[in-house]
Amino acid sequence: MPRKRRNESNTGIYHVMVKGINKEKIFNQNREKSYFKKIILKYLENYAVDIHGYCIMSNHAHFIIRAEIQTLSYFMAAILAEYASYYNYKHNRNGHVFQNRFNSECIENEGYYWACLRYIHLNPVKAKMIQKMERYKYSSIGEYVNCTNILICKKATELFREKFNSVQKFLENLYYTAGKTGMTFL
């Protein structure tokens, strides 16, 4: 049976999710999460994609990515293939590491953008891995809080600065609201 074609976002922004096969913990060790970030950074140089947010959990990862749909597919295929090779080698195994191909949902408005950013940053808190999301070093929250751009693009921090007057207001919004506004964006 042929695969269903991906929906194309009018804004070019997607909430992307990858999951470990059989709910396995494929990013269970800190070195694995760190290496995955290195792979992403490596491929950011080769593909026209902008990462607006990410969170790497034990058995899955979330991203907010702006890209053309075909470029997004090539980018994700490259990072997932390289990580799968690394993971299989380190764990002396072979076979699939990720469950199916990556999932993507279109982000069509500003309210969903901020709600999605909130959701992915709160993942470690909801999973009881950490009490405060800003302490989790395998998500983009640290880049927002420190106004640095390592994996996330400059446009993401610019949007943050335009929307929020301070880091504290940003964190309050992420913790307490869904970030809903009627404004257009991007």
Side-chain angles (χ1 to χ4, degrees):
M1 185 164 91
R3 291 192 280 197
K4 183 180 171 187
R5 185 181 173 109
R6 291 191 187 281
N7 291 330
E8 191 166 351
S9 172
N10 293 322
T11 62
I13 302 175
Y14 301 88
H15 175 200
V16 176
M17 299 139 287
V18 296
K19 296 179 183 178
I21 195 162
N22 297 324
K23 299 182 182 178
E24 287 179 22
K25 294 183 175 183
I26 57 171
F27 306 111
N28 200 34
Q29 300 171 0
N30 289 341
R31 70 182 169 130
E32 293 168 341
K33 292 173 187 165
S34 295
Y35 192 73
F36 191 53
K37 285 176 67 172
K38 286 180 186 178
I39 293 170
I40 294 165
L41 188 59
K42 171 184 164 183
Y43 285 101
L44 279 174
E45 296 176 8
N46 301 333
Y47 292 92
V49 300
D50 291 330
I51 295 178
H52 284 246
Y54 66 90
C55 186
I56 304 166
M57 300 291 286
S58 301
N59 66 349
H60 70 284
H62 292 271
F63 303 91
I64 297 176
I65 298 176
R66 183 177 192 167
E68 291 184 18
I69 192 75
Q70 190 170 18
T71 304
L72 175 65
S73 291
Y74 291 147
F75 174 73
M76 292 304 297
I79 65 171
L80 297 181
E82 185 165 331
Y83 183 78
S85 293
Y86 162 81
Y87 184 83
N88 281 339
Y89 176 77
K90 287 293 186 185
H91 293 276
N92 196 27
R93 68 184 292 276
N94 58 26
H96 295 284
V97 173
F98 295 98
Q99 179 182 318
N100 302 321
R101 59 187 187 149
F102 69 92
N103 293 325
S104 63
E105 295 176 2
C106 300
I107 297 178
E108 301 290 4
N109 61 60
E110 184 181 13
Y112 185 50
Y113 175 86
W114 294 113
C116 189
L117 193 65
R118 175 181 183 264
Y119 172 79
I120 67 173
H121 285 144
L122 285 172
N123 249 237
V125 176
K126 288 180 181 177
K128 298 185 186 329
M129 296 169 72
I130 201 154
Q131 289 183 345
K132 294 191 173 225
M133 69 179 148
E134 55 272 27
R135 292 190 179 149
Y136 191 69
K137 64 181 184 176
Y138 302 105
S139 80
S140 53
I141 193 66
E143 293 183 48
Y144 279 101
V145 169
N146 298 315
C147 292
T148 57
N149 299 98
I150 299 167
L151 293 184
I152 64 172
C153 65
K154 288 183 182 181
K155 179 69 175 175
T157 51
E158 288 170 4
L159 285 171
F160 154 69
R161 288 186 196 119
E162 289 172 14
K163 176 108 175 125
F164 303 98
N165 295 333
S166 69
V167 170
Q168 186 59 37
K169 287 192 189 242
F170 178 66
L171 292 175
E172 286 172 8
N173 180 271
L174 289 178
Y175 275 116
Y176 303 115
T177 72
K180 295 179 182 174
T181 69
M183 298 167 49
T184 59
F185 81 121
L186 304 174

